Amino acid sequence: MVNINTTTGHQNVAMLGIGAYRPKRVVTNAEVCEVLDSTPEWIEERTGIKSRRWFSEDETLRSIAATAGARALKNSGVAPEKIDAVILCTSSWLTFVPNGAPSVAYDIGINGVPAFDLTAGCGGFGYGLAVASGMIRGGTAEHVLLIGAETMTVGINPKDRGTAMIFGDGAGAVVLGPSEVNGVSPAVWGSDGENASAIRQNFDFLNYQFVAADYQHKDPETDPMPRMSMIMEGPRVFRWAAITLPRALSEAIENSGVAKEDIEVFIPHQANARINELMKQNLGLPEDLPMANDIETTGNTSAASIPLAMEEMLRTGKAKGGQVALLLGFGAGLSYSGQVVTLPPAPAPEED
Ligand code: COA
C-alpha cells in the first residue's frame, strides 16, 4: 500500500482582523409599512428591529462582500498574498454558475487561491468558521479570509408579513490565521432536515415554476411582477430554536473548556431580539453581560449577521479585542453552529 502525503497545520487559530460594510440606504419600519400590512410598533416589539439597511444603486452582493473582505484584510495586517483561501458564506448569490467567492476574491486582489461559497442559511458564518479553522489546523491553508455577505432583499416579498420586516443586507468578514494561543473552539454544529421546509423559497427550479401553495402574486393590479421570494414559518422556527439552541450553546461552552463565568460577550445570530434575550436568560448568563443587538438597526442579515454584530460591538467599544465571546448561528436548513472565540482587535474607523 502506498502512503500518500498528508499535511499538518497550526492547532492554535484565531480571528486576526475584522471588517464590515453596511449598505447606504436606511429603511425604517415606517417605510416598510408603506407596503406591508403591519405597524412600526408591532415590528419593533416582536422583532427588536427599528431600521435596517437595503442595498441600492451601485451596491451589489459582490461589491459589499469585497469591501468587507478588503477591510478585514487591512485590519488584520495580513498581506493579500498571504491569504491561502477565501470562503464566501451566503444564501443570496444569484447564480449557481459561476459561484461568488472567486470573483469577490479577485476584486480584493487575491487571485489563484481556492475560493468557494458556503451555504448554510443564517448558520453560514458559524459553518465557515468551523471549516476555515479546520483548514488551518489541517494544514491546507495558513490564512483564510472568511466573508459573510447577503443581499437578502432580492428574495423578499415586501408584502409578506413573515419576512418583509425582518431581513436586511450587509457584509462582514474576518481573517483567520495561526495564533500563539487558540481563539476558536471546536464547533457544535448540526442540522435538521426534517424541518427543512420551515424556511424555503417559493420557486421550483427543477420544473421552472412557482410552488403553487407559496405563490404570493395575488394582486396583479398592485403587484404585477411575480417574484421569487423566501417563505419563513416563523413560529415553527421559533419552536425549533427553543429546543435545539440551548443545548448547542451549553455544549459549545463545555467543549471549549472555558467556564461559563469566563464568557464576556454573547453574539447570537440577529434573527429576533426576543429569541436572543430568552437564550441569554435560559443559559444563566449575567443580565449585564454585553450581548449583540445589531438587529435594532441592521435587521436580520443571515450569514452576515454575526460578523456584522461582532464588528459593531468592537467598533463602539461594547466589546474589546481579546475578550471571550460565545457565538451562535442558526436558520435555514435548518442549521446551527455554536463556538467560543476570542474576539479580533477592534476595526479601524471606516468611511462608508
Ligand atoms: N405585522 C403585524 N402583525 C403580524 C405580522 C406582521 N408582520 N406577522 C404576524 N402578525 C400577527 C399575526 O396575524 C398574529 O395575529 P393573531 O394573534 O391575531 O392571529 C400575531 O401577529 C402573531 O403571529 P405570529 O406569526 O405568531 O408572530 P410571532 O410573534 O411569532 O412573530 C416572527 C413572527 C417571524 C417575528 C417570529 O416568529 C420569529 O422571529 N421567528 C423566528 C425567526 C427565526 O429565528 N428565523 C431563523 C433565522 S432566519
Side-chain angles (χ1 to χ4, degrees), residues 36-38 42 46-47 122 161-162 165-167 199 232 234-235 237-238 269 271-272 274-275 300 330-331:
L36 183 70
D37 178 15
S38 185
W42 191 96
R46 297 296 181 107
T47 68
C122 303
R161 291 170 118 207
M165 67 290 178
I166 291 174
F167 290 98
I199 307 176
M232 180 166 73
V237 180
F238 213 130
H269 168 49
N272 185 313
R274 282 193 301 148
I275 297 184
N300 176 346
F330 57 92

Side-chain angles (χ1 to χ4, degrees), residues 15-29:
M15 291 186 276
L16 307 177
I18 188 165
Y21 180 83
R22 289 160 208 275
K24 291 186 279 276
R25 184 173 166 211
V26 175
V27 178
T28 62
N29 287 346

